């Protein structure tokens, strides 16, 4: 039985003796210490005591209390976290919900939330909608659909009614769990409680209906939305259109695209809409139809982006039509305003993926010679391929060139580590030292299992200061 259930029956409205002012307690203990101590008061409702303290909460203070509770007092921690979530001048951030779920072990033991709710009833505590709202947000973070459903049903026992936002939390969780029938039931329950679904409700339902292959039902919801005053937008239409594409209903997808173009306004198709149709045609090898959509896209005044480019180039390269893919670059640059670097990078990536690495490297070096900035992914893949072929020295000089040109933005840190250990093992001390200094400059973390061998080799060659700095960065970022 939860500890709270053993307490004497007290109401939140019970009159207590005046507590010492919180500001007077501050000389003896920190805010977190005082709050934590208050949680252990026996025979009293802790929410009332906490509120009487009237503390000025912030995220740091809340985290400190949770850390004190996270070993064997998770129930206390959840109760405190729920109370803190709706105090004046403070609201939990998304980060705080993540931390609370981690520290209090909500995923491992979701029953903690149930025990807290039952403790409210055992103590006769005045329970509010805000308390359930905070508990539901914890379920949302921990992806606890069953517990969220239980909370929604448990509200009735406290004569409380959930609002649309709370229903949406549970509906989304059910959808993510694949329980579309339960989500549909909840939507019906909303109307029975005098509530109407909003755009968030409909989008959750539309996306999941499409995921389970019920695109026609999702399309029907677009009309239902209008009846309830929620005008569907391009995002909703695009989700349904994408559902038709995934299920292979290309005729229905094109019909919906026609409808979007005719309706216009907020329902006008965007680059995501058109690219979704293009991807479906490309996957089927129907490039003529895909190019028709590209032309239609341009005629509608919508410009392609790098995703559209990559869709075409990747599918053509996969089919062995590399020359045709290469010729597309000028078309996208001239007619759609996509950067030359993005187009060439798409080709580099596609060539690497079909194992035509020499062609990819040649194009990549031509880009650098022409001062064309490559995309980060193409840089990472190119460097990885050089490392795979044990060309660590070539890899280093390429990375060094990218660094000097200012093209290294978010290269995978594993690449630095692989290059460094390769250079060290081949006794390229000058290059390994230079690479290590680049890593220090960028605060790049040395990754296991490379860090020990790199540090040993550099130390062997008398680079102890450099090793100390690399180790310092590792300790600071780990």
């Amino acid at each position: 039985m939860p500890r709270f259930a053993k307490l004497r029956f007290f109401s939140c409205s019970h009159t207590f003796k005046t507590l010492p002012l919180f500001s007077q307690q501050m000389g003896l203990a920190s805010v977190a210490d005082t709050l934590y101590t208050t949680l252990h008061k026996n025979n009293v409702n802790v929410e009332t005591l906490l509120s009487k303290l009237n503390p000025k909460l912030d995220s740091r203070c809340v985290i400190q209390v949770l850390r004190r509770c996270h070993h064997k007092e998770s129930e206390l921690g959840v109760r405190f976290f729920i109370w803190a979530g709706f105090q004046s001048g403070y609201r939990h951030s998304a980060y705080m919900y993540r931390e609370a779920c981690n520290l209090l072990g909500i995923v491992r033991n979701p029953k903690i939330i149930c025990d807290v709710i039952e403790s409210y009833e055992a103590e006769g505590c005045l329970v509010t909608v805000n308390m359930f709202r905070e508990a539901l947000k914890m379920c949302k973070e921990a992806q606890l659909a069953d517990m969220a459903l239980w909370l929604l049903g448990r509200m009735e026992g406290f004569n409380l009614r959930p609002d649309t936002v709370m229903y949406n939390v549970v509906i989304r969780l059910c959808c993510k769990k694949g329980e579309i029938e339960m989500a549909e039931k909840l939507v019906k329950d909303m109307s029975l409680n005098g509530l109407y679904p909003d755009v968030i409700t409909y989008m959750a339902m539309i996306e999941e209906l499409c995921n389970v292959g019920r695109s026609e039902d999702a399309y029907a919801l677009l009309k239902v939305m209008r009846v309830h005053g929620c005008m569907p937008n391009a995002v909703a239409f695009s989700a349904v259109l994408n559902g038709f594409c995934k299920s292979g209903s290309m005729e229905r997808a094109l019909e919906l695209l026609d409808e979007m173009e005719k309706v216009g306004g907020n329902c006008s198709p965007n680059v995501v809409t058109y690219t979704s149709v293009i991807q479906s045609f490309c996957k089927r090898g129907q490039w003529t139809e895909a190019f028709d959509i590209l032309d239609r896209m341009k005629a509608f005044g919508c410009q392609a982006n790098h995703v559209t480019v990559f869709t075409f180039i990747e599918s053509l390269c996969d089919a062995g039509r590399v020359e045709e893919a290469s010729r597309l670059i000028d078309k996208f640059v001239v007619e759609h305003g996509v950067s030359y670097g993005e187009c060439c990078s798409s080709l580099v990536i596609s060539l690497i993926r079909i194992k035509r690495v020499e062609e990819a490297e040649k194009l990549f070096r031509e880009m650098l010679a022409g001062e064309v900035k490559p995309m980060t992914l193409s840089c990472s893949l190119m460097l990885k391929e050089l490392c795979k072929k044990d060309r660590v020295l070539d890899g280093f000089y390429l990375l060094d060139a990218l660094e000097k040109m200012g093209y290294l933005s978010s290269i995978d840190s594993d690449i630095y580590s692989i290059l460094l250990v390769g250079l060290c093992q081949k006794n390229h001390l000058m290059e390994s030292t230079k690479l290590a200094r680049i890593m220090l400059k960028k605060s790049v973390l040395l990754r296991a299992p490379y860090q020990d061998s790199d540090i040993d080799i550099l130390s062997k060659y008398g680079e102890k200061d450099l090793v100390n700095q690399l180790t310092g960065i590792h300790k600071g970022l780990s």
Side-chain angles (χ1 to χ4, degrees), residues 13-84:
S13 59
H14 190 81
T15 303
F16 297 98
K17 293 181 180 180
T18 304
L19 294 173
L21 290 175
F22 196 60
S23 59
Q24 293 175 340
Q25 295 177 341
M26 291 305 294
L28 302 174
S30 69
V31 177
D33 286 336
T34 306
L35 290 170
Y36 178 71
T37 301
T38 303
L39 288 174
H40 291 79
K41 298 286 185 180
N42 291 321
N43 300 326
V44 292
N45 177 262
V46 295
E47 284 77 18
T48 300
L49 282 180
L50 289 170
S51 297
K52 282 184 173 291
L53 293 174
N54 193 27
K56 184 178 180 180
L57 295 175
D58 58 29
S59 58
R60 183 179 178 184
C61 168
V62 172
I63 288 291
Q64 287 176 345
V65 175
L66 296 183
R67 284 176 178 165
R68 287 163 170 77
C69 295
H70 88 280
H71 288 298
K72 296 181 180 179
E73 300 174 316
S74 293
E75 191 176 326
L76 273 175
V78 170
R79 193 159 177 173
F80 166 75
F81 189 78
I82 289 174
W83 168 84

Side-chain angles (χ1 to χ4, degrees), residues 80-130:
F80 166 75
F81 189 78
I82 289 174
W83 168 84
F86 52 88
Q87 298 308 301
S88 177
Y90 174 78
R91 289 295 178 269
H92 295 314
S93 64
Y95 167 79
M96 291 298 293
Y97 288 104
R98 287 195 297 273
E99 282 296 289
C101 288
N102 290 332
L103 289 171
L104 302 175
I106 301 301
V107 177
R108 295 190 305 274
N109 186 17
K111 189 177 179 294
I112 296 171
I113 295 177
C114 174
D115 291 341
V116 168
I117 299 300
E118 297 302 342
S119 72
Y120 292 148
E121 185 174 47
E123 295 177 30
C125 179
L126 177 63
V127 180
T128 66
V129 172
N130 280 334

Side-chain angles (χ1 to χ4, degrees), residues 14 74 87 138 163 247 358 362 384 394 408 417 445:
H14 190 81
S74 293
Q87 298 308 301
M138 295 186 82
D163 58 19
S247 62
E358 289 183 6
K362 180 181 177 183
K384 279 184 179 179
D394 289 338
L408 287 182
S417 298
L445 179 65

Side-chain angles (χ1 to χ4, degrees), residues 196-227:
Y196 291 103
D198 58 15
V199 174
I200 295 174
T201 319
Y202 285 116
M203 280 305 304
M205 294 300 298
I206 286 171
E207 288 172 358
E208 184 55 26
L209 285 168
C210 290
N211 285 338
V212 298
R214 293 171 55 185
S215 300
E216 289 294 350
D217 291 336
Y219 177 73
L221 277 184
L222 294 176
K223 296 180 180 179
V224 176
M225 288 178 70
R226 293 190 181 97
V227 174

Side-chain angles (χ1 to χ4, degrees), residues 377-390:
L377 179 59
S378 63
C379 295
S380 293
L381 290 178
M382 194 72 257
L383 288 167
K384 279 184 179 179
E385 286 300 318
L386 294 175
C387 291
K388 283 181 184 178
K389 294 181 180 297
D390 203 26

